[in-house]
CSV table of all heavy atoms in Angstrom, one decimal:
chain,number,residue,atom,x,y,z
T,1574,ASP,N,-8.7,-11.1,35.8
T,1574,ASP,CA,-10.0,-10.5,35.4
T,1574,ASP,C,-10.8,-11.3,34.5
T,1574,ASP,O,-12.0,-11.5,34.7
T,1574,ASP,CB,-9.7,-9.1,34.8
T,1574,ASP,CG,-9.3,-8.0,35.8
T,1574,ASP,OD1,-9.3,-8.3,37.0
T,1574,ASP,OD2,-8.8,-7.0,35.3
T,1575,TYR,N,-10.2,-11.9,33.5
T,1575,TYR,CA,-10.9,-12.7,32.5
T,1575,TYR,C,-11.5,-14.0,33.2
T,1575,TYR,O,-12.6,-14.4,33.0
T,1575,TYR,CB,-10.0,-13.1,31.4
T,1575,TYR,CG,-10.7,-13.9,30.3
T,1575,TYR,CD1,-11.5,-13.2,29.3
T,1575,TYR,CD2,-10.7,-15.3,30.2
T,1575,TYR,CE1,-12.2,-13.9,28.4
T,1575,TYR,CE2,-11.4,-16.0,29.3
T,1575,TYR,CZ,-12.1,-15.3,28.3
T,1575,TYR,OH,-12.8,-16.0,27.4
T,1576,ALA,N,-10.7,-14.6,34.1
T,1576,ALA,CA,-11.1,-15.8,34.8
T,1576,ALA,C,-12.3,-15.5,35.7
T,1576,ALA,O,-13.1,-16.3,36.0
T,1576,ALA,CB,-10.0,-16.4,35.6
T,1577,ASN,N,-12.4,-14.2,36.2
T,1577,ASN,CA,-13.5,-13.8,37.1
T,1577,ASN,C,-14.7,-13.3,36.3
T,1577,ASN,O,-15.6,-12.7,36.9
T,1577,ASN,CB,-13.0,-12.7,38.0
T,1577,ASN,CG,-12.0,-13.3,39.1
T,1577,ASN,OD1,-12.1,-14.4,39.5
T,1577,ASN,ND2,-11.0,-12.4,39.5
T,1578,GLY,N,-14.7,-13.4,35.0
T,1578,GLY,CA,-15.9,-13.1,34.2
T,1578,GLY,C,-15.9,-11.8,33.5
T,1578,GLY,O,-16.9,-11.4,32.9
T,1579,VAL,N,-14.8,-11.0,33.6
T,1579,VAL,CA,-14.7,-9.7,32.9
T,1579,VAL,C,-14.4,-9.9,31.4
T,1579,VAL,O,-13.5,-10.8,31.1
T,1579,VAL,CB,-13.6,-8.8,33.5
T,1579,VAL,CG1,-13.6,-7.4,32.9
T,1579,VAL,CG2,-13.8,-8.7,35.0
T,1580,SER,N,-15.1,-9.2,30.5
T,1580,SER,CA,-14.9,-9.4,29.1
T,1580,SER,C,-13.6,-8.8,28.6
T,1580,SER,O,-13.1,-7.8,29.2
T,1580,SER,CB,-16.1,-8.8,28.3
T,1580,SER,OG,-16.0,-7.4,28.4
T,1581,PRO,N,-13.0,-9.3,27.5
T,1581,PRO,CA,-11.8,-8.7,27.0
T,1581,PRO,C,-12.0,-7.2,26.6
T,1581,PRO,O,-11.1,-6.4,26.8
T,1581,PRO,CB,-11.5,-9.5,25.7
T,1581,PRO,CG,-12.2,-10.8,26.0
T,1581,PRO,CD,-13.4,-10.5,26.8
T,1582,LEU,N,-13.2,-6.8,26.1
T,1582,LEU,CA,-13.4,-5.4,25.8
T,1582,LEU,C,-13.4,-4.5,27.0
T,1582,LEU,O,-12.8,-3.5,27.0
T,1582,LEU,CB,-14.8,-5.3,25.1
T,1582,LEU,CG,-15.1,-3.9,24.5
T,1582,LEU,CD1,-14.1,-3.4,23.5
T,1582,LEU,CD2,-16.5,-3.9,23.9
T,1583,THR,N,-14.0,-5.0,28.1
T,1583,THR,CA,-14.0,-4.2,29.3
T,1583,THR,C,-12.5,-4.1,29.9
T,1583,THR,O,-12.1,-3.1,30.4
T,1583,THR,CB,-14.9,-4.8,30.4
T,1583,THR,OG1,-16.2,-4.9,29.8
T,1583,THR,CG2,-14.9,-4.1,31.7
T,1584,ILE,N,-11.8,-5.2,29.9
T,1584,ILE,CA,-10.4,-5.2,30.3
T,1584,ILE,C,-9.6,-4.2,29.6
T,1584,ILE,O,-8.8,-3.4,30.1
T,1584,ILE,CB,-9.8,-6.6,30.2
T,1584,ILE,CG1,-10.5,-7.6,31.2
T,1584,ILE,CG2,-8.3,-6.6,30.6
T,1584,ILE,CD1,-10.1,-9.1,31.0
T,1585,ALA,N,-9.7,-4.2,28.2
T,1585,ALA,CA,-9.0,-3.3,27.4
T,1585,ALA,C,-9.4,-1.9,27.7
T,1585,ALA,O,-8.5,-1.0,27.8
T,1585,ALA,CB,-9.3,-3.6,25.9
T,1586,LYS,N,-10.7,-1.6,27.9
T,1586,LYS,CA,-11.1,-0.3,28.2
T,1586,LYS,C,-10.5,0.2,29.5
T,1586,LYS,O,-10.0,1.4,29.6
T,1586,LYS,CB,-12.6,-0.2,28.3
T,1586,LYS,CG,-13.2,1.1,28.6
T,1586,LYS,CD,-14.8,1.1,28.7
T,1586,LYS,CE,-15.3,2.4,29.1
T,1586,LYS,NZ,-16.8,2.4,29.2
T,1587,ARG,N,-10.4,-0.6,30.5
T,1587,ARG,CA,-9.9,-0.2,31.8
T,1587,ARG,C,-8.4,0.1,31.7
T,1587,ARG,O,-7.9,1.0,32.3
T,1587,ARG,CB,-10.1,-1.3,32.8
T,1587,ARG,CG,-11.6,-1.5,33.3
T,1587,ARG,CD,-11.7,-2.7,34.2
T,1587,ARG,NE,-13.1,-2.9,34.6
T,1587,ARG,CZ,-13.6,-3.9,35.3
T,1587,ARG,NH1,-12.7,-4.9,35.6
T,1587,ARG,NH2,-14.8,-4.0,35.6
T,1588,LEU,N,-7.6,-0.8,31.0
T,1588,LEU,CA,-6.2,-0.6,30.8
T,1588,LEU,C,-5.9,0.7,30.1
T,1588,LEU,O,-5.0,1.5,30.4
T,1588,LEU,CB,-5.6,-1.8,30.0
T,1588,LEU,CG,-5.6,-3.1,30.8
T,1588,LEU,CD1,-5.2,-4.2,29.8
T,1588,LEU,CD2,-4.7,-3.1,32.0
T,1589,ASN,N,-6.7,1.0,29.0
T,1589,ASN,CA,-6.5,2.2,28.3
T,1589,ASN,C,-6.8,3.5,29.2
T,1589,ASN,O,-6.1,4.5,29.1
T,1589,ASN,CB,-7.4,2.3,27.0
T,1589,ASN,CG,-6.9,1.3,26.0
T,1589,ASN,OD1,-5.7,1.0,25.9
T,1589,ASN,ND2,-7.8,0.7,25.2
T,1590,ALA,N,-7.9,3.3,30.0
T,1590,ALA,CA,-8.3,4.5,30.8
T,1590,ALA,C,-7.2,4.8,31.9
T,1590,ALA,O,-7.0,5.9,32.3
T,1590,ALA,CB,-9.6,4.1,31.5
T,1591,GLU,N,-6.5,3.7,32.3
T,1591,GLU,CA,-5.4,3.9,33.3
T,1591,GLU,C,-4.1,4.3,32.7
T,1591,GLU,O,-3.1,4.5,33.4
T,1591,GLU,CB,-5.2,2.6,34.1
T,1591,GLU,CG,-6.5,2.3,34.9
T,1591,GLU,CD,-6.3,0.9,35.6
T,1591,GLU,OE1,-5.2,0.5,35.8
T,1591,GLU,OE2,-7.3,0.3,36.0
T,1592,GLY,N,-4.1,4.4,31.3
T,1592,GLY,CA,-2.8,4.8,30.6
T,1592,GLY,C,-1.8,3.8,30.6
T,1592,GLY,O,-0.6,4.1,30.4
T,1593,ILE,N,-2.2,2.5,30.7
T,1593,ILE,CA,-1.2,1.4,30.6
T,1593,ILE,C,-1.0,1.0,29.2
T,1593,ILE,O,-1.9,0.6,28.5
T,1593,ILE,CB,-1.7,0.2,31.4
T,1593,ILE,CG1,-1.9,0.5,32.9
T,1593,ILE,CG2,-0.7,-1.0,31.3
T,1593,ILE,CD1,-2.5,-0.6,33.7
T,1594,PRO,N,0.2,1.2,28.7
T,1594,PRO,CA,0.5,0.9,27.2
T,1594,PRO,C,0.4,-0.5,26.9
T,1594,PRO,O,0.7,-1.4,27.7
T,1594,PRO,CB,1.9,1.5,27.0
T,1594,PRO,CG,2.6,1.4,28.3
T,1594,PRO,CD,1.5,1.7,29.3
Side-chain angles (χ1 to χ4, degrees):
D1574 287 349
Y1575 184 81
N1577 290 328
V1579 183
S1580 71
L1582 185 59
T1583 301
I1584 296 173
K1586 181 181 178 180
R1587 291 174 180 174
L1588 293 172
N1589 290 328
E1591 295 174 23
I1593 299 175

